[in-house]
Amino acid sequence: MEWEVVIGLEIHVQLSTTTKIFSGASTAFGAAPNTQACAVDLALPGTLPVFNENALRMAVMFGLAVNAEIGKRSVFERKNYFYPDLPKGYQTTQLAEPIVGPGFVDIETDDGVSRRVRLHHAHLEEDAGKSLHEDFHGMSGIDLNRAGTPLVEIVSEPDMRSSKEAAAYARKIHAIVTTLGICDGNMAEGSMRCDCNVSVRPKGEEKLGTRTELKNINSFRFIERAIDTEVARQIDLIEDGGRVVQETRLYDPDKNETRSMRSKEDANDYRYFPCPDLLPVIIDDSYIEAIRATLPELPDARKARFIEQYALSDYDAGVLSSYRPQADYYEQVVGACQDAKLAANWVMGELAKLLNQNDTDIKVSPVSAEQLGGLLLRIQDNTISGNIAKKVFELMWSNGGTADQIIEAEGLKQVTDSGAIEKIVDEVIANATKQVEQYIAAEPEKRGKMLGFFMGQVMKATGGKANPGAVTGILKQKLDALCS
Amino acid sequence: MFELTLAELAAGLRKGDFSSVELTRSYLERIKAEDGRYNSFITVTEEQALAAAAAADAALTAGTATAFTGLPIAHKDLFCTDGVRTSCGSKILDNFVSPYDATVVSRFKQAGAVMLGKTNMDEFAMGSSNENSYYGAAHNPWDLERVPGGSSGGSAAAVAARLTPAATGSDTGGSIRQPAALCGITGLKPTYGRVSRYGMIAYASSLDQGGPIARSAEDCALMLNVMAGFDPLDSTCLEREVPDYTATLDQPLAGLKIGLPKEYFSSALDDQIAQRVRDAVAEFEKLGATVKEVSLPNTELSIPAYYIIAPAEASSNLSRFDGVRYGYRCEDPKDLEDLYKRSRGEGFGAEVKRRIMVGTYALCAGYYDAYYRKAQQIRRLIQQDFIRVLNDVDVIMGPTTPHPAFRIGEKNNDPVSMYMEDIFTLSLNLAGLPGMSVPCGQVDGLPVGLQIIGSHFAEAKLLNIAHQFQQATDWHKQAPAGI
Amino acid sequence: MSLDRSDVERIAHLARLQIDEQDIPTYTENLSSILNLIDQMQQADTAGVEPLANPLDAVQRLRADVVTEPDQREKLQRVAPAVEEGLFLVPKVIE
């Protein structure tokens, strides 16, 4: 039987506010345990929440960026349950009246499928703390630094039909929130976490299959793998005559399997009701329009402009616009060297490679856009070859300095002086009698290919500094002279 | 000295008749000698009190004193006090030394007040008799066999017994007005949002409001001057100017229009209390007021609506008491669930558990619309009744309670009959309105309270009316026998 | 509305309250009578009435996104039942 996969995502995005959603404690990552958990965050008796204006502004920015209706009246509710990382015994969240109503984003997968994914809504809520399971005499330790960090939970409709689409959707949301500057996008630190609702149904069937929820996936790659694994499990199960149980499952990336979570919510009833300590949040058109006016260029628009303005391929434009710091960097490099294609190749090539290898964000790249632009200028004016440029780039990465400084200090300047090149060519020809004889004996149309050997010898002798164009010309001229 | 009001004590401090340290020491000694009979204090803060009094004396000498400098007060034990146990009348917070001050507490500190201690109360402010305290019942100074009312029973008993000239209280369904009535003193529940709730341990967030308990309306005005005002830490506290509540106390009452709700003079009301209230109203007529009958048709619904909303909010507000970060933790929990269930099961008393369970039930999926939402709709109807009537008259008057103080233990086994005692007070909290209770006579030697209800933010008017009544009568000056 | 033993047990579990076995009948009776009192409310006609959540129908005020709470861990944890290395300790959390 042919199966259709149906996927909806719930993405939690940590907003990059300075303070918590309802208290004046810092949200900075990595502080010592409980040093950023104030009286309100600890839910000390008598403490009360006050709503952070920046969390509201950021949520509205997101809503506008995904073409959504903005809730002019939104209401915080309490979701009641007991858990040690939830100090108040309830999570303050939104349910009936969220800040962001229905919207949509358009996605495209690597293999060219494009789709519009509808958003059901997005709401503001507070994050919980963390339970640390290192063994404290058989006890767990609770760190509440993260408790009260503002989150926007983005709930999609079940509009995705493959794990690739799900990953593309998650990437798009990531691109939007980082472009807006409302989230640092750091998935390893948990700034963006995905829950995937997955079900399968026979192709052509309208009724949705029973879904399972894969919790807390924190990389795009794992989204794909977790969904693929879960889809395979569900199909096997059904084909063996079993039934999918609606439940929460955990993806284990090491074993590449999903497993049922010990139902921590056994028949839970969250007893939602409007939080009486917080009042309805009311905003008007002028507030919304003022925020709209501050929105940066969004990834889709920027991609279109890159194609138009820089004549980039759809793929290159898509990659470069997906992460705002990268897009900004790219445009700075273009500004410095005025060659959009060369800049794209380098930003997506050498730079991306080293950033990746060193697990470094482009925002803190050791090579600045100016430095890279300066390097590309030297390729353009033939001061160095592309190969030498890679060497300069590596030195720049590890030791700093401008391209000109490095070229000068390392003596990497390209040899374009034809007298000097001729002298080396003569030496190479004199030392390669066998290859010269073969060259002369070869059919004239096959000689071009044989130039490579001589080229290599010349480059070896010059340490790669000879201008390749000049070398080719001189070699051909001298060898062809021997043939006649 | 113990008969002097706050206003008189302030004058005495200024004239140098006594120092704040002398005053404070006298009260501390009196508490030590007398409170065994009333059990009105949970914690007496002798050391801090004397230090604050010494600082106040220095300010008085230096000429930097303000209206409240050097005046002793007590705080209901649900106001968090930095460095001092804040128990909320519960075993679950018996070991809780608050690391911060409630806004009300810090306002009094800044005003130079001297805190004598923390007063007894029904656990988590749930009760009308003060019998639900982990620290034992407080006793009514008018008759030690009887309850002082609740939940601010300790504050009311302490003021009536002259163990403190004034105290703070909190009122969720009558917890300032009812004990004030039963103890023959004066109490004010301000408009919801007038006084910050920050640091006042929540019972029902949308109903709770702190306020003053004292022996006269003038003293309540002095206290409200300190307590009222905007607090950026409480989202429900309103940014609204605070008048000087003492400035308008002397305005004449000629032309005042008083409404008497016919529903308040029903069969549930003790005949003699009804008579005392009518006598008080007659006194107002002498002062130039006119009186008419009005109707608040949804009064009876206030009890069911209140007993949904308050427990529902409480069930959630009290979830934080879980034995993890502070407060009581059971011995040797075998797992997480055991930690929660035993810490809470052992830490909370029976009435608190009852209300948590009622509230939990009411909020369950499937019941929300029938209970919580319905109650909030009734709340709107009750408020509309009041607004309609208060468009027609300046204030509403009636009894504070249907009966005088009952005997300790009398209603212990019947929570519902206890709840009925709140019939006249609950509706104000549901509507967010201010209300006062003023002594207006006695029945069989027990005090009776007159309730005065005004429009939102009409505290100055209520204090003015109560003060004029107290200029014309002396019920508020009556002391229990032997005091 | 009257509750039975299993209702009371379920509610007590949701609210994480240990109730002694011998007290369950009393709680069942008390809660049932409270719910009967509450059920009087159902007579009221509230069709079309907007619920009143805040007595003044006030709206939420916003706080500037500025750090106002410095680290006070030491003071705040002085009242904690069990703390180690700055962490609150609880019986093992199983996920």
Side-chain angles (χ1 to χ4, degrees):
Chain A
M1 185 183 298
E2 223 187 317
W3 294 92
E4 182 176 50
V5 180
V6 177
I7 303 162
L9 258 56
E10 288 162 25
I11 301 182
H12 289 88
V13 168
Q14 259 183 17
L15 297 179
S16 50
T17 53
T18 306
T19 60
K20 307 268 174 94
I21 185 168
F22 299 124
S23 83
S26 168
T27 54
F29 182 81
N34 291 310
T35 55
Q36 289 175 176
C38 69
V40 173
D41 304 326
L42 295 183
L44 285 192
T47 56
L48 295 170
V50 186
F51 184 33
N52 183 337
E53 62 175 3
N54 216 8
L56 173 64
R57 189 181 62 82
M58 290 179 174
V60 171
M61 284 174 83
F62 175 76
L64 293 173
V66 295
N67 319 291
E69 293 165 27
I70 304 300
K72 291 195 181 157
R73 177 191 149 97
S74 54
V75 173
F76 285 106
E77 306 207 20
R78 293 184 180 177
K79 179 183 183 181
N80 293 283
Y81 65 97
F82 287 88
Y83 211 65
D85 63 11
L86 190 71
K88 295 190 292 294
Y90 56 83
Q91 180 192 32
T92 308
T93 178
Q94 299 180 321
L95 183 72
E97 297 177 82
I99 183 68
V100 176
F104 64 85
V105 294
D106 292 322
I107 59 161
E108 215 170 296
T109 63
D110 295 348
D111 36 25
V113 179
S114 50
R115 191 183 291 285
R116 172 158 292 184
V117 177
R118 292 167 303 152
L119 303 188
H120 181 271
H121 77 274
H123 62 260
L124 276 162
E125 62 183 25
E126 58 185 341
D127 209 342
K130 279 180 182 166
S131 307
L132 303 174
H133 305 296
E134 288 98 79
D135 195 19
F136 295 98
H137 340 286
M139 313 269 278
S140 292
I142 307 295
D143 175 9
L144 296 171
N145 279 350
R146 201 180 64 181
T149 298
L151 300 176
V152 165
E153 179 174 343
I154 304 155
V155 181
S156 84
E157 297 286 357
D159 283 355
M160 287 152 277
R161 294 292 173 267
S162 72
S163 61
K164 279 194 165 29
E165 288 179 29
Y169 166 76
R171 281 198 179 90
K172 175 54 73 69
I173 295 294
H174 185 268
I176 290 171
V177 297
T178 52
T179 299
L180 292 172
I182 62 173
C183 174
D184 66 18
N186 191 328
M187 296 185 72
E189 286 173 8
S191 299
M192 187 168 143
R193 312 191 287 272
C194 296
D195 299 341
C196 307
N197 290 302
V198 180
S199 65
V200 299
R201 62 183 171 191
K203 200 139 200 158
E205 171 70 54
E206 278 202 21
K207 208 168 138 261
L208 289 172
T210 306
R211 67 187 161 86
T212 57
E213 184 180 10
L214 307 175
K215 273 269 183 219
N216 264 340
I217 305 176
N218 65 357
S219 88
F220 300 123
R221 200 156 41 94
F222 288 168
I223 289 175
E224 276 196 61
R225 286 171 49 186
I227 292 174
D228 287 339
T229 309
E230 176 61 13
V231 165
R233 187 191 71 89
Q234 289 188 11
I235 292 173
D236 283 352
L237 191 64
I238 298 170
E239 288 182 343
D240 289 349
R243 280 171 62 180
V244 176
V245 182
Q246 184 166 343
E247 64 180 351
T248 301
R249 297 180 71 84
L250 205 61
Y251 175 66
D252 181 340
D254 297 328
K255 296 183 183 157
N256 194 33
E257 64 178 27
T258 69
R259 63 167 185 273
S260 182
M261 277 172 86
R262 252 177 54 103
S263 59
K264 81 174 181 191
E265 294 146 24
D266 55 313
N268 214 337
D269 185 325
Y270 292 122
R271 291 160 279 136
Y272 282 96
F273 75 109
C275 178
D277 288 328
L278 290 161
L279 302 169
V281 179
I282 307 293
I283 53 177
D284 58 17
D285 284 323
S286 67
Y287 177 85
I288 295 169
E289 291 316 311
I291 289 177
R292 196 192 300 279
T294 67
L295 288 186
E297 188 181 27
L298 290 164
D300 284 352
R302 200 165 198 181
K303 177 182 170 185
R305 181 168 63 80
F306 280 7
I307 293 172
E308 165 82 25
Q309 184 178 344
Y310 300 131
L312 295 183
S313 71
D314 191 82
Y315 177 81
D316 288 0
V319 171
L320 287 170
S321 61
S322 69
Y323 183 45
R324 185 181 175 187
Q326 177 174 257
D328 290 344
Y329 187 103
Y330 167 69
E331 293 210 86
Q332 282 178 49
V333 176
V334 174
C337 76
Q338 298 300 322
D339 186 335
K341 182 66 193 155
L342 185 64
N345 290 345
W346 274 78
V347 172
M348 293 165 63
E350 291 308 302
L351 176 66
K353 192 176 86 188
L354 281 190
L355 289 171
N356 238 332
Q357 279 169 6
N358 293 284
D359 199 19
T360 303
D361 190 283
I362 195 161
K363 281 184 287 189
V364 292
S365 168
V367 176
S368 71
E370 267 172 28
Q371 283 172 291
L372 179 56
L375 175 63
L376 301 191
L377 278 176
R378 294 297 157 262
I379 300 176
Q380 286 171 302
D381 69 10
N382 283 330
T383 306
I384 53 174
S385 67
N387 269 330
I388 292 291
K390 288 179 188 170
K391 193 168 165 190
V392 175
F393 183 72
E394 276 166 25
L395 289 166
M396 209 178 244
W397 177 281
S398 34
N399 305 328
T402 66
D404 289 342
Q405 286 164 348
I406 297 167
I407 292 166
E408 178 65 32
E410 302 288 322
L412 293 173
K413 195 166 172 165
Q414 190 156 260
V415 183
T416 46
D417 169 12
S418 52
I421 295 174
E422 271 181 47
K423 215 177 127 198
I424 295 163
V425 168
D426 287 343
E427 279 169 29
V428 166
I429 289 174
N431 291 331
T433 40
K434 198 172 147 204
Q435 283 80 2
V436 172
E437 273 166 27
Q438 286 170 356
Y439 186 92
I440 294 166
E443 308 267 326
E445 53 273 24
K446 291 190 179 157
R447 285 176 186 157
K449 279 188 184 167
M450 304 175 73
L451 269 181
F453 166 76
F454 298 100
M455 190 73 192
Q457 294 299 306
V458 175
M459 284 303 178
K460 202 169 155 190
T462 59
K465 288 183 292 183
N467 179 305
V471 175
T472 311
I474 293 168
L475 263 175
K476 267 190 91 162
Q477 184 203 335
K478 298 235 172 206
L479 286 168
D480 289 350
L482 292 173
C483 297
S484 54
Chain B
M1 182 188 273
F2 299 117
E3 286 306 319
L4 299 179
T5 64
L6 287 176
E8 291 159 348
L9 290 171
L13 286 170
R14 277 200 170 58
K15 276 193 291 175
D17 294 349
F18 41 77
S19 70
S20 178
V21 168
E22 285 164 352
L23 179 62
T24 301
R25 193 162 278 139
S26 309
Y27 270 109
L28 290 168
E29 279 163 16
R30 185 173 168 81
I31 293 167
K32 209 173 284 176
E34 306 275 328
D35 198 39
R37 300 198 289 163
Y38 311 114
N39 194 27
S40 66
F41 279 84
I42 291 175
T43 305
V44 178
T45 50
E46 181 166 351
E47 220 173 286
Q48 291 100 321
L50 290 171
D57 284 333
L60 284 158
T61 309
T64 55
T66 54
F68 223 92
T69 303
L71 296 178
I73 55 158
H75 286 301
K76 184 175 183 179
D77 206 17
L78 52 45
F79 288 98
C80 285
T81 41
D82 194 355
V84 175
R85 173 173 63 178
T86 301
S87 74
C88 219
S90 182
K91 178 181 177 184
I92 213 160
L93 287 178
D94 181 45
N95 62 4
F96 179 67
V97 175
S98 174
Y100 78 104
D101 275 332
T103 298
V104 162
V105 170
S106 60
R107 279 173 171 270
F108 273 112
K109 268 189 190 169
Q110 275 160 21
V114 173
M115 177 177 80
L116 297 171
K118 310 288 296 288
T119 58
N120 202 350
M121 58 181 286
D122 282 301
E123 184 179 5
F124 284 99
M126 297 180 189
S128 313
S129 69
N130 211 115
E131 292 166 289
N132 300 330
S133 169
Y134 174 63
Y135 302 91
H139 298 258
N140 192 321
W142 293 83
D143 178 348
L144 295 176
E145 305 281 291
R146 291 177 188 268
V147 303
S151 65
S152 311
S155 286
V159 172
R162 277 60 174 168
L163 302 183
T164 177
T168 54
S170 70
D171 190 315
T172 306
S175 285
I176 287 175
R177 292 159 288 155
Q178 186 252 18
L182 302 193
C183 289
I185 53 175
T186 305
L188 167 66
K189 176 207 116 55
T191 306
Y192 183 82
R194 178 81 284 188
V195 171
S196 169
R197 295 188 298 113
Y198 191 79
M200 187 177 90
I201 299 177
Y203 161 20
S205 307
S206 74
L207 303 168
D208 294 344
Q209 188 63 200
I213 295 175
R215 291 209 310 278
S216 69
E218 186 184 19
D219 283 1
C220 285
L222 276 170
M223 287 183 73
L224 192 60
N225 274 351
V226 177
M227 297 174 83
F230 175 63
D231 179 7
L233 300 177
D234 175 3
S235 296
T236 63
C237 187
L238 292 150
E239 283 182 281
R240 194 186 162 104
E241 209 182 324
V242 180
D244 175 356
Y245 293 106
T246 60
T248 46
L249 292 173
D250 291 326
Q251 286 180 359
L253 299 187
L256 179 76
K257 287 188 271 180
I258 299 170
L260 298 182
K262 60 179 186 203
E263 292 80 5
Y264 285 19
F265 294 86
S266 64
S267 58
L269 178 64
D270 180 292
D271 287 344
Q272 296 190 74
I273 289 194
Q275 194 49 52
R276 299 298 170 276
V277 171
R278 289 191 195 284
D279 293 348
V281 171
E283 193 65 44
F284 281 105
E285 286 179 303
K286 279 193 230 160
L287 294 171
T290 59
V291 178
K292 67 186 283 190
E293 187 184 83
V294 295
S295 174
L296 296 168
N298 291 299
T299 297
E300 280 207 354
L301 290 172
S302 63
I303 291 185
Y306 176 89
Y307 279 98
I308 282 296
I309 293 168
E313 294 181 7
S315 72
S316 176
N317 284 337
L318 270 58
S319 292
R320 65 187 59 196
F321 303 101
D322 58 5
V324 174
R325 299 164 312 285
Y326 49 78
Y328 177 76
R329 171 180 282 204
C330 66
E331 293 277 337
D332 299 323
K334 68 177 197 293
D335 57 25
L336 203 51
E337 186 162 307
D338 191 44
L339 167 77
Y340 287 146
K341 288 190 171 174
R342 280 203 292 127
S343 297
R344 292 166 58 78
E346 293 163 15
F348 290 134
E351 180 64 16
V352 172
K353 281 187 264 196
R354 269 196 289 274
R355 294 199 195 186
I356 289 176
M357 287 199 276
V358 169
T360 300
Y361 180 76
L363 288 175
C364 276
Y367 301 122
Y368 176 83
D369 283 351
Y371 285 126
Y372 192 76
R373 190 166 189 280
K374 178 96 179 174
Q376 299 278 44
Q377 289 176 308
I378 287 173
R379 203 174 170 178
R380 173 93 50 196
L381 295 178
I382 288 168
Q383 189 184 57
Q384 284 168 350
D385 285 353
F386 275 116
I387 289 173
R388 184 174 39 74
V389 169
L390 287 167
N391 276 333
D392 189 27
V393 298
D394 297 316
V395 289
I396 296 166
M397 289 189 187
T400 307
T401 64
H403 306 101
F406 49 90
R407 286 180 191 285
I408 290 173
E410 189 179 322
K411 293 179 192 281
N412 264 358
N413 298 319
D414 187 358
V416 168
S417 90
M418 184 86 89
Y419 295 175
M420 301 305 284
E421 289 298 301
D422 302 330
I423 175 84
F424 303 131
T425 48
L426 295 179
S427 52
L428 274 72
N429 298 78
L430 292 169
L433 295 168
M436 281 192 83
S437 181
V438 180
C440 70
Q442 292 175 5
V443 171
D444 302 330
L446 295 170
V448 171
L450 168 74
Q451 185 172 217
I452 314 172
I453 303 163
S455 301
H456 290 130
F457 299 104
E459 287 82 1
K461 187 85 213 162
L462 298 184
L463 288 162
N464 165 223
I465 292 167
H467 180 68
Q468 289 305 306
F469 181 74
Q470 293 181 337
Q471 296 305 103
T473 61
D474 67 354
W475 295 113
H476 65 294
K477 291 192 172 154
Q478 311 262 329
I483 300 246
Chain C
M1 167 75 70
S2 103
L3 300 180
D4 61 23
R5 166 180 278 270
S6 69
D7 291 326
V8 170
E9 283 170 346
R10 186 178 63 90
I11 298 165
H13 171 69
L14 271 177
R16 298 297 185 273
L17 290 171
Q18 165 128 319
I19 304 290
D20 287 341
E21 194 62 28
Q22 77 263 19
D23 292 339
I24 291 181
T26 317
Y27 275 105
T28 308
E29 194 187 315
N30 285 162
L31 295 186
S32 295
S33 68
I34 294 169
L35 288 172
N36 281 331
L37 171 77
I38 286 165
D39 277 336
Q40 293 170 10
M41 187 171 75
Q42 304 306 339
Q43 311 150 9
D45 179 10
T46 53
V49 178
E50 184 64 21
L52 178 72
N54 174 274
L56 294 164
D57 287 318
V59 302
Q60 183 60 37
R61 190 159 30 78
L62 301 174
R63 176 178 65 76
D65 186 19
V66 175
V67 175
T68 53
E69 298 293 325
D71 170 25
Q72 288 201 77
R73 182 174 82 180
E74 200 248 330
K75 187 175 190 189
L76 297 177
Q77 289 192 335
R78 233 176 275 159
V79 290
V83 163
E84 199 169 305
E85 294 172 27
L87 298 161
F88 297 99
L89 296 192
V90 297
K92 200 120 198 101
V93 176
I94 303 154
E95 291 197 65

